[in-house]
Amino acid sequence: QVHLVESGGGAVQSGGSLRLSCAASGYTYSIYCLTWWRQAPGQEREGVAALDSVGGTRYADSVKGRFTISRDGSKNTLYLQMDNLKPEDTAMYYCAARYLERECKTHVLTERGLFAYWGQGTQVTVSS
């Protein structure tokens, strides 16, 4: 079993920054596809960013140039650095993991059903 715990959410003003963390424990592997998703009230959950074990990254168009996904292997922790935040970034943010997959699929950010392991989420609120 894999356990994911997000942290780092909060309330910031437009233009501000936050760094989200997702700590993984349990039966994790060094071959992975790790992702961040978000869900605003009344909206579908959408993929934000992905990172795989060969260093490939993918971003939703809405966050390109503002968000950066990274991982610290020594801590088994995934990060999402969010800069120049906008009110439309307000959502609950979740991390999700898929192991024993060397690279994320091309359209991974639209394939929520691929992921069996999810965290409980951390709230990000951006005010104008």
Side-chain angles (χ1 to χ4, degrees), residues 16 25 40 43 49 53 56 61 79 81 104-105 108:
S25 60
Q43 303 293 318
S53 50
D61 288 343
Y79 300 100
Q81 177 67 42
C104 294
K105 297 184 185 299
V108 63

PDB file of all heavy atoms in Angstrom, residues 16 25 40 43 49 53 56 61 79 81 104-105 108:
ATOM      1  N   GLY A  16       1.294  35.988  -5.527  1.00  0.00           N
ATOM      2  CA  GLY A  16       2.101  35.331  -4.508  1.00  0.00           C
ATOM      3  C   GLY A  16       2.538  33.943  -4.903  1.00  0.00           C
ATOM      4  O   GLY A  16       2.258  33.469  -6.010  1.00  0.00           O
ATOM      5  N   SER A  25       4.895   7.310   1.413  1.00  0.00           N
ATOM      6  CA  SER A  25       5.397   6.237   2.277  1.00  0.00           C
ATOM      7  C   SER A  25       4.743   4.932   1.863  1.00  0.00           C
ATOM      8  O   SER A  25       3.759   4.908   1.116  1.00  0.00           O
ATOM      9  CB  SER A  25       5.122   6.547   3.750  1.00  0.00           C
ATOM     10  OG  SER A  25       3.739   6.670   3.975  1.00  0.00           O
ATOM     11  N   ALA A  40     -11.589  22.626  -8.203  1.00  0.00           N
ATOM     12  CA  ALA A  40     -12.299  23.765  -7.656  1.00  0.00           C
ATOM     13  C   ALA A  40     -13.748  23.368  -7.416  1.00  0.00           C
ATOM     14  O   ALA A  40     -14.246  22.429  -8.049  1.00  0.00           O
ATOM     15  CB  ALA A  40     -12.217  24.935  -8.639  1.00  0.00           C
ATOM     16  N   GLN A  43     -16.296  21.947 -10.092  1.00  0.00           N
ATOM     17  CA  GLN A  43     -15.515  21.675 -11.296  1.00  0.00           C
ATOM     18  C   GLN A  43     -14.982  20.243 -11.276  1.00  0.00           C
ATOM     19  O   GLN A  43     -14.888  19.618 -10.220  1.00  0.00           O
ATOM     20  CB  GLN A  43     -14.338  22.645 -11.402  1.00  0.00           C
ATOM     21  CG  GLN A  43     -14.726  24.108 -11.410  1.00  0.00           C
ATOM     22  CD  GLN A  43     -15.492  24.509 -12.635  1.00  0.00           C
ATOM     23  OE1 GLN A  43     -15.151  24.098 -13.753  1.00  0.00           O
ATOM     24  NE2 GLN A  43     -16.533  25.296 -12.461  1.00  0.00           N
ATOM     25  N   ALA A  49       0.294  18.972 -13.245  1.00  0.00           N
ATOM     26  CA  ALA A  49       1.695  18.741 -13.580  1.00  0.00           C
ATOM     27  C   ALA A  49       2.038  17.274 -13.350  1.00  0.00           C
ATOM     28  O   ALA A  49       1.419  16.612 -12.510  1.00  0.00           O
ATOM     29  CB  ALA A  49       2.611  19.624 -12.733  1.00  0.00           C
ATOM     30  N   SER A  53      10.098   9.106 -13.805  1.00  0.00           N
ATOM     31  CA  SER A  53      11.378   8.656 -13.280  1.00  0.00           C
ATOM     32  C   SER A  53      12.550   8.871 -14.234  1.00  0.00           C
ATOM     33  O   SER A  53      13.700   8.660 -13.834  1.00  0.00           O
ATOM     34  CB  SER A  53      11.294   7.178 -12.885  1.00  0.00           C
ATOM     35  OG  SER A  53      10.746   6.398 -13.919  1.00  0.00           O
ATOM     36  N   GLY A  56      11.099  13.398 -17.125  1.00  0.00           N
ATOM     37  CA  GLY A  56      10.144  14.076 -17.978  1.00  0.00           C
ATOM     38  C   GLY A  56       9.107  14.838 -17.168  1.00  0.00           C
ATOM     39  O   GLY A  56       8.694  14.373 -16.103  1.00  0.00           O
ATOM     40  N   ASP A  61      -1.598  23.728 -19.712  1.00  0.00           N
ATOM     41  CA  ASP A  61      -1.321  25.014 -20.354  1.00  0.00           C
ATOM     42  C   ASP A  61      -1.564  26.181 -19.407  1.00  0.00           C
ATOM     43  O   ASP A  61      -0.857  27.189 -19.446  1.00  0.00           O
ATOM     44  CB  ASP A  61      -2.194  25.184 -21.599  1.00  0.00           C
ATOM     45  CG  ASP A  61      -1.755  24.294 -22.744  1.00  0.00           C
ATOM     46  OD1 ASP A  61      -0.611  23.783 -22.709  1.00  0.00           O
ATOM     47  OD2 ASP A  61      -2.556  24.097 -23.670  1.00  0.00           O
ATOM     48  N   TYR A  79       7.090  17.860  -4.964  1.00  0.00           N
ATOM     49  CA  TYR A  79       6.793  19.262  -4.717  1.00  0.00           C
ATOM     50  C   TYR A  79       6.086  19.892  -5.909  1.00  0.00           C
ATOM     51  O   TYR A  79       6.221  19.441  -7.046  1.00  0.00           O
ATOM     52  CB  TYR A  79       8.084  20.048  -4.460  1.00  0.00           C
ATOM     53  CG  TYR A  79       8.866  19.557  -3.270  1.00  0.00           C
ATOM     54  CD1 TYR A  79       9.975  18.725  -3.431  1.00  0.00           C
ATOM     55  CD2 TYR A  79       8.493  19.904  -1.979  1.00  0.00           C
ATOM     56  CE1 TYR A  79      10.701  18.274  -2.350  1.00  0.00           C
ATOM     57  CE2 TYR A  79       9.206  19.450  -0.883  1.00  0.00           C
ATOM     58  CZ  TYR A  79      10.310  18.625  -1.078  1.00  0.00           C
ATOM     59  OH  TYR A  79      11.003  18.170   0.009  1.00  0.00           O
ATOM     60  N   GLN A  81       6.018  23.893  -6.886  1.00  0.00           N
ATOM     61  CA  GLN A  81       6.286  25.307  -6.646  1.00  0.00           C
ATOM     62  C   GLN A  81       5.330  26.113  -7.516  1.00  0.00           C
ATOM     63  O   GLN A  81       5.327  25.958  -8.743  1.00  0.00           O
ATOM     64  CB  GLN A  81       7.734  25.643  -6.995  1.00  0.00           C
ATOM     65  CG  GLN A  81       8.080  27.113  -6.850  1.00  0.00           C
ATOM     66  CD  GLN A  81       8.035  27.590  -5.413  1.00  0.00           C
ATOM     67  OE1 GLN A  81       8.488  26.899  -4.509  1.00  0.00           O
ATOM     68  NE2 GLN A  81       7.479  28.781  -5.205  1.00  0.00           N
ATOM     69  N   CYS A 104       5.630   8.862 -17.754  1.00  0.00           N
ATOM     70  CA  CYS A 104       4.203   9.182 -17.765  1.00  0.00           C
ATOM     71  C   CYS A 104       3.690   9.099 -19.205  1.00  0.00           C
ATOM     72  O   CYS A 104       4.398   9.439 -20.150  1.00  0.00           O
ATOM     73  CB  CYS A 104       3.956  10.598 -17.244  1.00  0.00           C
ATOM     74  SG  CYS A 104       4.343  10.863 -15.513  1.00  0.00           S
ATOM     75  N   LYS A 105       2.477   8.670 -19.356  1.00  0.00           N
ATOM     76  CA  LYS A 105       1.859   8.645 -20.684  1.00  0.00           C
ATOM     77  C   LYS A 105       1.708  10.073 -21.204  1.00  0.00           C
ATOM     78  O   LYS A 105       1.615  11.024 -20.437  1.00  0.00           O
ATOM     79  CB  LYS A 105       0.502   7.944 -20.614  1.00  0.00           C
ATOM     80  CG  LYS A 105       0.589   6.488 -20.194  1.00  0.00           C
ATOM     81  CD  LYS A 105      -0.758   5.817 -20.225  1.00  0.00           C
ATOM     82  CE  LYS A 105      -0.686   4.399 -19.693  1.00  0.00           C
ATOM     83  NZ  LYS A 105       0.224   3.569 -20.492  1.00  0.00           N
ATOM     84  N   VAL A 108      -1.207  12.050 -19.778  1.00  0.00           N
ATOM     85  CA  VAL A 108      -1.432  11.637 -18.392  1.00  0.00           C
ATOM     86  C   VAL A 108      -2.296  12.632 -17.631  1.00  0.00           C
ATOM     87  O   VAL A 108      -3.086  12.236 -16.763  1.00  0.00           O
ATOM     88  CB  VAL A 108      -0.082  11.429 -17.674  1.00  0.00           C
ATOM     89  CG1 VAL A 108       0.708  12.744 -17.600  1.00  0.00           C
ATOM     90  CG2 VAL A 108      -0.281  10.835 -16.309  1.00  0.00           C
TER      91      VAL A 108
END
